[in-house]
Amino acid sequence: MYYHDKRLQYPVKVDSPDPIYARMLQQAIGGIEGEIRVCMQYFFQAWGNRAPTTKYRDMLLATATEELGHIEMLATAVALNLENAPTKVQEAGAADAIVGAIMGGENPRHIAEGMLHKTLLSTGMAAFPGNSDGLPFDMSHVYASGNIAADMYCNVAAESTGRVLAVRLYNATTDAGMRDMWSFLIARDTMHQQQWLAVIEELGGHAGTLPIPNSFPQEKENQKFNYAFFGTSADGSPPPAGRWTQGPSLDGKGTFSVVQNQPMGEEPVLGPARPDSGAESQQIG
């Protein structure tokens, strides 16, 4: 059961409405790095969590609910950036070569006008559950494996890419209200990164969680290859030396080594095509 408070989690103010920035904000809502993604990821991880204790489920639910508030903040920011935006703002953005590069090399004026047309006709000058290209979020980047350690590592990655996007959006505006909003959201990304890493530490860190799933007996692995880095240079030259090529593995359960990748199997030979497969007669044996 969820409860709603009509007040925003944190103030959202826009001093100078900017329709191009509104479009950029959509990436933080419905992009693969956005708030819908992490919100749904944490909800589904929580709803499927199985453990002797419910504390991880409860923690995930709390953070997923917080992310709903972030979506609301960003949707409000989009609407405010589209509210009473003067034409000269659109034209100034269209003339900015940097904005054009950020928006993927397209004509920024077309982008601004296209965004306004979409938000006017489809959403009444409001946000929508899609990315900055107008594509709807399709849940394909929601990871909920049923393995708490795997999910936590996925969450660290999600919050890391989300914070990268948030920092870029902070730097893409000089609007004081928008920067204040981002200062809050970036701070929450920092906490959430630490939060998921804290769960991994509580589960035993790298040694306690890796390799995932730790419930599978490692003696059933091929011991020759479980900590070997494969070199794939055609001339057989060794790969660049690094932490991953020598010394103890991070989980403390093996030693890194280097193996030159060579074929260990035979060339595959498939049987003839079936008579009813629609293949050419020369393929059918």
Side-chain angles (χ1 to χ4, degrees):
M1 184 177 227
Y2 300 94
Y3 297 91
H4 177 254
D5 189 316
K6 64 182 180 181
R7 294 167 294 182
L8 292 174
Q9 186 178 135
Y10 188 83
V12 176
K13 298 178 181 179
V14 175
D15 298 324
S16 302
D18 183 346
I20 292 181
Y21 194 66
R23 181 183 193 271
M24 297 169 71
L25 287 171
Q26 282 292 154
Q27 191 68 15
I29 295 176
I32 60 174
E33 319 93 331
E35 300 288 355
I36 293 178
R37 182 264 179 98
V38 291
C39 178
M40 290 296 101
Q41 183 157 303
Y42 303 158
F43 270 133
F44 277 93
Q45 288 177 3
W47 293 330
N49 182 263
R50 298 175 185 271
T53 174
T54 65
K55 71 175 183 177
Y56 297 129
R57 181 179 187 274
D58 295 342
M59 177 196 62
L60 283 161
L61 286 173
T63 305
T65 305
E66 177 190 348
E67 301 291 4
L68 281 173
H70 296 176
I71 298 170
E72 183 179 27
M73 288 171 58
L74 287 165
T76 302
V78 168
L80 290 176
N81 271 286
L82 292 171
E83 193 172 82
N84 300 322
T87 303
K88 64 181 181 181
V89 173
Q90 301 170 39
E91 293 172 349
D96 190 327
I98 296 177
V99 172
I102 292 174
M103 303 308 275
E106 299 176 272
N107 185 325
R109 176 171 295 185
H110 292 166
I111 291 169
E113 292 175 353
M115 177 69 177
L116 285 171
H117 291 162
K118 176 176 179 59
T119 55
L120 175 61
L121 296 174
S122 299
T123 64
M125 303 296 280
F128 56 93
N131 66 13
S132 58
D133 290 323
L135 299 175
F137 185 75
D138 65 1
M139 299 289 186
S140 62
H141 292 277
V142 169
Y143 304 123
S145 69
N147 180 296
I148 187 66
D151 286 350
M152 291 302 108
Y153 281 108
C154 287
N155 293 351
V156 172
E159 291 288 347
S160 301
T161 54
R163 193 172 189 274
V164 168
L165 176 64
V167 168
R168 289 171 178 164
L169 287 166
Y170 179 98
N171 291 331
T173 183
T174 57
D175 188 282
M178 287 291 87
R179 283 198 159 190
D180 183 54
M181 178 192 75
W182 283 119
S183 72
F184 171 78
L185 292 174
I186 291 170
R188 297 310 299 154
D189 288 337
T190 297
M191 172 55 195
H192 294 157
Q193 288 182 32
Q194 294 296 304
Q195 178 178 325
W196 308 132
L197 288 169
V199 174
I200 292 170
E201 181 182 87
E202 191 170 271
L203 293 171
H206 295 324
T209 59
L210 299 176
I212 298 170
N214 63 5
S215 55
F216 182 82
Q218 269 201 278
E219 59 267 19
K220 294 185 178 181
E221 296 177 359
N222 187 319
Q223 302 299 307
K224 183 178 178 180
F225 301 112
N226 53 3
Y227 294 99
F229 182 86
F230 276 21
T232 55
S233 298
D235 60 3
S237 59
R243 176 66 182 85
W244 57 92
T245 60
Q246 58 185 342
S249 61
L250 295 178
D251 58 16
K253 299 170 186 175
T255 302
F256 289 129
S257 63
V258 175
V259 173
Q260 179 59 35
N261 200 12
Q262 296 288 343
M264 290 178 278
E266 303 297 328
E267 180 181 355
V269 178
L270 305 181
R274 291 171 37 160
D276 60 353
S277 66
E280 293 295 287
S281 59
Q282 293 92 331
Q283 297 176 263
I284 300 172

